[in-house]
Amino acid sequence: MSENNFYSFFEQISSKLGVRERSFRKIFNYLDKMPDPIIIVETGCLRIKDNFSGDGQSTLLFDKYAQHRSNGSKVYTVDINPDATKICEEVVSKNVSITTGDSVKYLNELSKKFNEDKIKVSFFYLDSFDVDWRSPEPSCEHHLKELTSIKNILYKDTLVVVDDSPIIGYLEQRKEGILDLVPFGLVPKPTISGKGTLVHQYAMDTGAKLLYSNYQSGWIGFN
Ligand SMILES: C[S@@+](CC[C@H](N)C(=O)[O-])C[C@H]1O[C@@H](n2cnc3c(N)ncnc32)[C@H](O)[C@@H]1O
């Protein structure tokens, strides 16, 4: 798939991506500046065909992008649900390595193998373990475990994106219909919520950089 074909595919479906459109665009723009081969590792695969606005169809988007970059570019994905990996297999190309299993264990084993084989991952997309917005702890703990499993194979420029991680802050209504941030000091500053809550805390504690935050959040500089 040529560059024009990838972006013409992306433009065809981008409006269906809803809150994720802007951040998927940022991901691909970032990857455009990275050298071949582009290696993408994802947790939580495409599980429902054509569900662009609900989940994002990430595996399909990454597959198309890796095909357009070619030169050994490849996608790896893992999901604990065999129904999800079966659907994913039907939608994406053979250039996607699909594994059924727990993501933390998978990433731990993949890290050892990639270290030995000197395979450099360009981008990790962490999107397993659905978040319960009223009780996000199990999901954000799981995503922190995923980050722990890949820590040894993160480079300065490796992009790590966690889905379902918008910014939250404390708001007040000073004027009718307008929400403003409550001054910091009285309340904590805005931070990342959802699946990426603890990944962000770890990033800030260790000097990594928040590259952007839309509905998804992305960091670089973990090592
Ligand atoms: C939000 S969906 C992924 C959506 C997909 N990234 C997309 O854009 O279409 C989350 C997936 O994570 C999977 N999951 C939940 N716990 C997991 C775990 N411990 N290891 C691997 N996958 C897990 C679920 O089975 C589910 O299919």
Side-chain angles (χ1 to χ4, degrees):
M1 179 178 259
S2 73
E3 178 166 358
N4 286 344
N5 283 347
F6 172 73
Y7 281 104
S8 58
F9 159 79
F10 188 76
E11 295 313 333
Q12 271 170 36
I13 54 90
S14 61
S15 63
K16 296 190 215 167
L17 292 170
V19 283
R20 295 184 182 85
E21 176 184 351
R22 203 181 287 267
S23 45
F24 271 129
R25 207 178 277 284
K26 287 181 182 172
I27 289 170
F28 297 122
N29 290 342
Y30 185 85
L31 293 178
D32 283 345
K33 298 186 194 95
M34 293 194 91
D36 291 338
I38 293 293
I39 304 294
I40 299 173
V41 178
E42 169 189 73
T43 64
C45 71
L46 179 162
R47 59 182 165 179
I48 306 169
K49 278 181 197 166
D50 296 324
N51 185 20
F52 283 95
S53 59
D55 279 343
Q57 301 284 283
S58 53
T59 326
L60 177 65
L61 300 183
F62 302 151
D63 182 27
K64 298 271 188 205
Y65 186 81
Q67 285 184 55
H68 118 70
R69 288 294 295 260
S70 60
N71 296 324
S73 297
K74 192 167 171 59
V75 180
Y76 296 80
T77 190
V78 62
D79 199 293
I80 204 160
N81 183 346
D83 295 335
T85 49
K86 186 172 177 289
I87 298 281
C88 188
E89 223 171 272
E90 288 166 16
V91 175
V92 300
S93 80
K94 293 272 179 273
N95 196 40
V96 180
S97 159
I98 304 173
T99 301
T100 305
D102 173 64
S103 58
V104 175
K105 185 170 184 288
Y106 171 82
L107 289 175
N108 193 47
E109 284 162 9
L110 178 126
S111 293
K112 285 181 197 151
K113 189 170 181 336
F114 279 17
N115 234 339
E116 278 164 24
D117 298 348
K118 302 203 179 342
I119 296 175
K120 188 183 171 203
V121 177
S122 323
F123 162 48
F124 284 95
Y125 185 70
L126 309 182
D127 186 22
S128 61
F129 209 127
D130 289 326
V131 62
D132 173 353
W133 290 100
R134 287 172 188 273
S135 180
E137 294 79 11
S139 176
C140 56
E141 282 163 11
H142 183 81
H143 288 86
L144 183 64
K145 284 188 206 164
E146 290 186 349
L147 186 74
T148 307
S149 294
I150 58 174
K151 176 82 168 100
N152 285 344
I153 56 166
L154 294 176
Y155 291 81
K156 211 175 163 186
D157 59 351
T158 314
L159 176 63
V160 177
V161 172
V162 183
D163 193 24
D164 306 299
S165 302
I167 296 172
I168 49 162
Y170 291 87
L171 303 172
E172 61 164 332
Q173 192 175 33
R174 284 185 213 157
K175 282 188 202 151
E176 187 68 29
I178 298 178
L179 294 172
D180 289 292
L181 283 171
V182 175
F184 311 145
L186 285 174
V187 295
K189 285 182 181 171
T191 188
I192 300 297
S193 69
K195 288 180 181 175
T197 305
L198 293 176
V199 168
H200 182 64
Q201 285 178 21
Y202 181 78
M204 296 303 98
D205 287 351
T206 57
K209 180 180 163 197
L210 178 67
L211 198 61
Y212 70 84
S213 180
N214 296 100
Y215 180 69
Q216 305 167 325
S217 294
W219 301 261
I220 54 170
F222 277 106
N223 274 330

